[in-house]
Amino acid sequence: MVQQTYRGGGTLVIAFFDYAHEPSLVWWREEYPKLTDLIESGQLRLTLLMYPKPVTRWSVMLPSALFEVRAQTDRRSAWAFHEALVNLDGDYSLDAVAELATDVGADGADVVAAAKARRRRNQAFADKQFGESTGVETLPAFRRGRDPIDGTSAADIRSFVENRSA
């Protein structure tokens, strides 16, 4: 079983994501930073689910690498690995994966082996199947359980969280 990769506490918001999908990467680089105050204050628990769309080499290999980092370390290290991957701006390589994994305390060679073998890929496809069952069609997409959250901007997510806290 793969433990979830999440950051924060409070209102659970599921974020569907693909490392090979430019709008997903742009959201994480531009919108996510606008939510860190909610995460750090414990108002928002952002949980990452994979949604390979379209299915490419990296959209399956990188979740496998992330899941391996999570299995070897803890959620904070896995989140740091995720953020480092996002900041590569789609310029992925197995050498970079190994280096980033080592930087967060995982065995880089084991993480690369997991990526190459697409180990735990069933988790990524299970995440995608869950997303499809909740109506996800485009990325990024956000859910509270099975219920869609209107909008995708940081302002939309912030409004949702603040309304639930009120």
Side-chain angles (χ1 to χ4, degrees):
M1 181 172 141
V2 176
Q3 295 179 339
Q4 289 185 333
T5 301
Y6 67 90
R7 185 166 178 229
T11 300
L12 172 68
V13 172
I14 299 167
F16 289 95
F17 174 80
D18 181 1
Y19 290 105
H21 184 253
E22 186 62 25
S24 291
L25 293 171
V26 168
W27 189 91
W28 282 92
R29 288 191 306 269
E30 296 177 7
E31 296 295 318
Y32 168 74
K34 298 173 189 175
L35 296 171
T36 56
D37 63 312
L38 291 178
I39 292 167
E40 290 168 4
S41 71
Q43 292 177 278
L44 170 63
R45 176 181 171 184
L46 196 59
T47 299
L48 186 62
L49 294 186
M50 298 297 132
Y51 195 98
K53 180 181 181 166
V55 177
T56 70
R57 171 183 178 196
W58 294 117
S59 67
V60 178
M61 289 176 69
L62 293 177
S64 294
L66 175 67
F67 298 147
E68 183 64 23
V69 168
R70 178 63 178 100
Q72 288 186 25
T73 61
D74 57 26
R75 67 178 173 82
R76 284 190 174 98
S77 296
W79 196 267
F81 180 73
H82 162 73
E83 288 182 329
L85 287 173
V86 167
N87 288 320
L88 286 176
D89 198 18
D91 189 23
Y92 305 123
S93 72
L94 293 176
D95 289 339
V97 168
E99 182 178 333
L100 296 175
T102 301
D103 289 349
V104 299
D107 183 305
D110 285 350
V111 171
V112 167
K116 284 181 175 179
R118 289 146 173 91
R119 195 176 309 146
R120 298 184 178 90
R121 68 184 169 273
N122 290 344
Q123 181 63 45
F125 289 110
D127 289 356
K128 183 176 183 178
Q129 184 176 25
F130 173 70
E132 288 173 341
S133 76
T134 67
V136 171
E137 293 178 3
T138 61
L139 296 179
F142 302 90
R143 298 286 185 268
R144 167 82 172 135
R146 299 183 67 80
D147 298 326
I149 295 173
D150 292 331
T152 62
S153 71
D156 297 329
I157 305 301
R158 178 177 296 282
S159 175
F160 174 80
V161 169
E162 289 173 348
N163 287 337
R164 291 197 52 83
S165 299

